[in-house]
Amino acid sequence: MSNTERTYIMVKPDGVQRGLVGEIIQRFERRGFKMIALKMVWPTTELLEKHYADLKNRPFFPNLIKYMASGPVVAIVLEGRDAVATGRVMLGETDPLKSAPGTIRGDLCLQVGRNICHGSDSVQNAEKEIALWFPEGIVKYTLATENWIFE
Ligand code: UDP
Ligand code: MG
């Protein structure tokens, strides 16, 4: 199957506290993505500063790190067709108020500083984020439904 990509998806601390982990994972599973890594982690500020290194000079950066370090997150790697761009579409816009209904942010949250879920914005960043959050590596297995999802 062409265009197979991996993306890094993360349920943020507010998503975990609000009991939305299952809902978020379910949306990606039902779409047909293959989950190849999953764990709960309470991230250190050091890890988060690496993850969000591109945003270091933005005014919201200190609050973003505080928010993301405020509780455990659920780290997920998904594989599938156009996983990076499709993951972003399913997430919605960064600002939940600008996110269409039907998207994760458009359905489940209201404020940019509490937008419940992260998704990689490019294949290159996805590779970087997967290496950062899963240095132990990723499970390899065949998804039995693959021939029912792709022709
Ligand atoms: N963020 C914020 N205020 C802003 C922009 C971003 O608090 O004005 C937070 C928000 O949680 C966002 C995260 O910083 O998800 C990372 O920002 P980015 O621009 O990478 O948005 P994303 O890729 O998550 O849509
Ligand atoms: Mg981003």
Side-chain angles (χ1 to χ4, degrees):
M1 200 254 313
S2 60
N3 292 336
T4 302
E5 292 174 353
R6 288 176 171 187
T7 190
Y8 176 65
I9 298 290
M10 169 166 57
V11 183
K12 296 180 177 186
D14 49 340
V16 172
Q17 292 291 342
R18 291 181 53 206
L20 297 173
V21 173
E23 159 93 31
I24 290 168
I25 290 175
Q26 189 179 42
R27 287 179 180 225
F28 289 107
E29 283 187 310
R30 293 176 70 187
R31 188 74 192 265
F33 287 108
K34 177 181 178 183
M35 191 159 50
I36 52 174
L38 174 70
K39 69 179 174 187
M40 177 172 270
V41 44
W42 193 325
T44 61
T45 55
E46 206 184 336
L47 179 64
L48 292 165
E49 280 167 7
K50 280 186 196 158
H51 175 80
Y52 282 126
D54 295 351
L55 302 173
K56 201 159 51 195
N57 299 319
R58 305 295 290 274
F60 57 83
F61 187 75
N63 277 344
L64 172 61
I65 299 300
K66 221 182 287 172
Y67 156 48
M68 291 298 299
S70 66
V73 301
V74 172
I76 304 161
V77 180
L78 297 171
E79 191 176 80
R81 188 164 189 219
D82 261 315
V84 172
T86 308
R88 294 283 290 190
V89 170
M90 289 174 68
L91 228 55
E93 302 297 319
T94 303
D95 181 352
L97 291 188
K98 297 190 176 119
S99 300
T103 64
I104 289 166
R105 287 167 175 167
D107 285 347
L108 302 171
C109 56
L110 285 167
Q111 209 182 20
V112 67
R114 295 288 183 273
N115 61 0
I116 70 167
C117 195
H118 166 84
S120 307
D121 63 5
S122 68
V123 172
Q124 196 187 334
N125 279 337
E127 276 169 19
K128 192 194 96 182
E129 291 169 4
I130 291 165
L132 186 64
W133 290 89
F134 289 96
E136 68 272 30
I138 272 167
V139 182
K140 257 201 174 140
Y141 68 102
T142 303
L143 196 63
T145 50
E146 204 168 276
N147 291 338
W148 300 105
I149 295 165
F150 303 110
E151 67 176 20

